[in-house]
Amino acid sequence: MIRLLNNKKTTAAIIATVIAAAAGIGGYSVSSNAAMAVDAYTVDFGGLESEIEVNGTVESNKDMVCYSEIAARVGKIHVKEGDFVKKGDLIISYDLEELERLETMTDLQAKADLGSYNNSVQTGNRTAGLYGEAKRNLATLEQQISDTQEAITRTQNALTERKAALADFGAKLQISLIDWADQPDSDEYENLQKLVQTNAYEQQYAPDIVKLQEELNVLNVQLANLKEYKAEMTSQKASTVMNLMTEGAKEQLEAVKEANDISNNEKLADYAAAKEGIKAEFDGIITQIGVIEGSDIARGTNLFTLKSSSDIIIKSTVNKYDIVNIEEGQPASVNIKNKDYQGVVSRIARMTKDSGTGTGIGVEITLLTPDDDIILGLEAKSKIYTASLTQVLRVPVEALSEDEEGSYVFVAKDGKAEKVFVECGIRNDDMVEITDGLDEGTLVVWKDSEELSEGMGVKVK
């Protein structure tokens, strides 16, 4: 359907032309016998509106595909597919007893995770402590063993020297005793015998020798103990060094703890939110429900799809000839269920597609004031207003013809048809804009059932 502006003015111009032709006015005469009866129109300035009619489908430009944030059991579904809902309306409720059980399990898991973390930290600290103890003690033991060995050497040397001195003295006494052997009854010989006996005793039991021997024994025991302890610490160091927690392991342990904390806290938050149920985020229509009541669902399960009822578009496909006249921002009117809505071209696809009836280009019209009467998926008839001019030179579409040389009309001159080539602008089903070739007031003629020719006699019907 094409709309013509200033219809009253157009009709008046035609009537005036007919009257003028009948009265022989306007510079031509009519022969009732030879001339062909034709339609006529006086070229004038007026309004011209161009529009393209397209069919399309009502769709929502905004949707919400809701997925479950938790693995749980569906309690109650409060809507059906096709229902209209308002923002905040409850769509799906989870099973509350199941949520309570899941919260308890998550709390226990959080405690288990914390216990595992603490155990790893404590074990690591104990291992580090044992390793540190062995390392420190080994450093001390090395010095203590060295000092003890030096003390043993000194004591052994002192003991050896003392015994050597006593032995040397004893040897001298023996020589003296031999010298006095021929006087066995003399006091000197008797004294020498006593001294020899005393010397022999002292070589074994002199207090200083006994003391040095005791010190040497203590030092040897001490050295043995130190070496044994060193062996123990060496083994402890060797057994703990491989179990020491590296910096990377510590970072990993902390990261795992943080990740577990986040995961458990998120689960608890999700369970708390789930107790409130899943609600509509905007006004719209439930177009799909993906679960049933009482079913156990996994995290990420498709719960439902909600499509907005306040952001409505009409998706249409236009052919390659009409698309050249369509631009984003052009006004449009849309009829849905015999009700008219105002809209605007909001998107033109930058690719062609197979529309089923041929190749076309997708065009979307956004409704400016949608209401609750709209039903998604219905067919809609739209008019896209591609041009709206108020003062253009125009002629009826019926008067325009085309051949290989271009567009042309016939004008009445001296009762005959004269072919005039013209340049055209916008057009609709009724009128076409003439941008070059005609002047205002020129009388154009045509005949619907026959084609006029140059020089043919014409008369206005």
Side-chain angles (χ1 to χ4, degrees):
M1 177 65 70
I2 305 299
R3 182 166 57 188
L4 176 65
L5 300 180
N6 298 331
N7 286 332
K8 292 182 179 180
K9 181 177 179 181
T10 301
T11 303
I14 294 175
I15 294 174
T17 301
V18 174
I19 295 174
I25 302 174
Y28 65 91
S29 60
V30 179
S31 171
S32 60
N33 295 324
M36 179 184 292
V38 295
D39 295 305
Y41 183 84
T42 301
V43 180
D44 66 347
F45 282 97
L48 185 59
E49 194 170 76
S50 177
E51 59 190 38
I52 296 175
E53 292 187 356
V54 294
N55 294 326
T57 304
V58 179
E59 296 189 21
S60 175
N61 195 38
K62 176 183 178 182
D63 59 23
M64 167 191 172
V65 181
C66 183
Y67 299 93
S68 178
E69 295 290 337
I70 59 174
R73 181 175 298 129
V74 177
K76 184 175 179 57
I77 300 174
H78 302 271
V79 297
K80 295 180 179 179
E81 291 183 355
D83 283 357
F84 173 79
V85 296
K86 301 288 289 183
K87 180 180 179 180
D89 283 353
L90 184 60
I91 309 298
I92 290 178
S93 298
Y94 289 103
D95 186 302
L96 292 180
E97 290 185 2
E98 175 69 3
L99 291 178
E100 293 287 351
R101 185 186 72 82
L102 291 172
E103 281 184 328
T104 300
M105 293 296 292
T106 303
D107 282 332
L108 292 174
Q109 183 62 51
K111 292 178 181 178
D113 291 339
L114 180 59
S116 176
Y117 168 80
N118 289 336
N119 178 65
S120 296
V121 170
Q122 292 165 6
T123 300
N125 290 340
R126 183 167 59 250
T127 300
L130 292 173
Y131 174 79
E133 177 190 40
K135 187 176 180 181
R136 290 189 302 273
N137 288 344
L138 283 172
T140 303
L141 285 169
E142 289 292 344
Q143 186 62 48
Q144 288 177 337
I145 289 173
S146 177
D147 292 344
T148 301
Q149 287 176 332
E150 290 180 0
I152 289 174
T153 300
R154 289 194 304 271
T155 304
Q156 184 66 55
N157 290 338
L159 181 61
T160 301
E161 289 176 0
R162 177 63 175 146
K163 283 186 174 183
L166 288 173
D168 182 65
F169 181 67
K172 291 178 179 179
L173 287 176
Q174 287 291 342
I175 293 173
S176 296
L177 184 62
I178 292 172
D179 290 341
W180 287 93
D182 57 349
Q183 299 180 32
D185 296 328
S186 64
D187 292 336
E188 286 80 357
Y189 184 82
E190 185 178 350
N191 288 333
L192 285 172
Q193 282 185 324
K194 290 180 179 179
L195 288 173
V196 168
Q197 292 175 355
T198 300
N199 177 263
Y201 177 84
E202 287 181 344
Q203 287 187 42
Q204 296 294 325
Y205 303 108
D208 55 342
I209 289 179
V210 171
K211 182 179 180 181
L212 287 172
Q213 188 63 56
E214 289 175 350
E215 289 178 359
L216 185 60
N217 292 338
V218 169
L219 289 172
N220 283 324
V221 171
Q222 180 177 320
L223 180 62
N225 291 336
L226 289 173
K227 288 184 176 181
E228 182 181 356
Y229 192 39
K230 177 184 177 182
E232 181 183 340
M233 291 295 100
T234 300
S235 176
Q236 180 173 307
K237 180 180 179 184
S239 64
T240 56
V241 67
M242 298 303 297
N243 296 321
L244 284 176
M245 189 176 294
T246 64
E247 289 301 319
K250 292 178 182 178
E251 291 175 0
Q252 180 185 27
L253 183 63
E254 292 297 330
V256 170
K257 178 181 182 298
E258 185 175 352
N260 288 338
D261 288 345
I262 292 173
S263 176
N264 291 326
N265 289 336
E266 285 181 348
K267 285 182 180 179
L268 291 173
D270 289 339
Y271 295 146
K275 290 181 179 179
E276 302 297 322
I278 310 299
K279 299 178 181 180
E281 294 184 0
F282 47 80
D283 295 355
I285 299 165
I286 300 295
T287 60
Q288 178 262 345
I289 297 176
V291 295
I292 60 176
E293 292 182 356
S295 61
D296 290 322
I297 59 174
R299 180 183 176 90
T301 298
N302 185 334
L303 297 176
F304 62 86
T305 300
L306 171 64
K307 294 193 174 184
S308 173
S309 60
S310 59
D311 190 355
I312 299 298
I313 60 173
I314 310 301
K315 285 191 175 182
S316 305
T317 302
V318 301
N319 60 47
K320 62 183 179 181
Y321 303 104
D322 288 335
I323 196 64
V324 297
N325 296 314
I326 298 177
E327 297 178 0
E328 291 182 3
Q330 290 174 335
S333 63
V334 180
N335 185 273
I336 306 171
K337 290 174 55 181
N338 295 323
K339 186 174 181 179
D340 291 327
Y341 298 87
Q342 298 302 308
V344 61
V345 177
S346 55
R347 181 177 181 270
I348 299 174
R350 296 303 189 262
M351 59 178 290
T352 60
K353 66 177 181 178
D354 188 355
S355 63
T357 58
T359 300
I361 298 93
V363 173
E364 294 180 6
I365 298 172
T366 298
L367 298 190
L368 300 179
T369 54
D371 56 31
D372 294 344
D373 291 335
I374 291 175
I375 298 176
L376 299 179
L378 281 182
E379 182 180 352
K381 296 184 179 297
S382 305
K383 295 179 182 178
I384 301 174
Y385 302 108
T386 57
S388 181
L389 306 177
T390 56
Q391 286 295 314
V392 295
L393 201 63
R394 62 187 185 169
V395 298
V397 170
E398 294 91 335
L400 185 68
S401 299
E402 294 181 349
D403 59 19
E404 64 276 4
E405 297 184 50
S407 299
Y408 63 89
V409 297
F410 283 98
V411 301
K413 189 173 183 180
D414 298 329
K416 298 183 181 297
E418 180 178 319
K419 187 176 183 180
V420 177
F421 284 93
V422 295
E423 298 290 336
C424 302
I426 69 168
R427 69 180 70 190
N428 57 30
D429 289 345
D430 295 327
M431 306 294 287
V432 58
E433 176 188 8
I434 302 300
T435 59
D436 189 37
L438 293 178
D439 296 321
E440 183 181 15
T442 301
L443 186 69
V444 296
V445 294
W446 71 94
K447 188 170 179 62
D448 290 334
S449 58
E450 296 183 36
E451 184 176 348
L452 302 183
S453 60
E454 181 77 22
M456 178 184 291
V458 294
K459 67 176 180 179
V460 177
K461 292 180 180 179

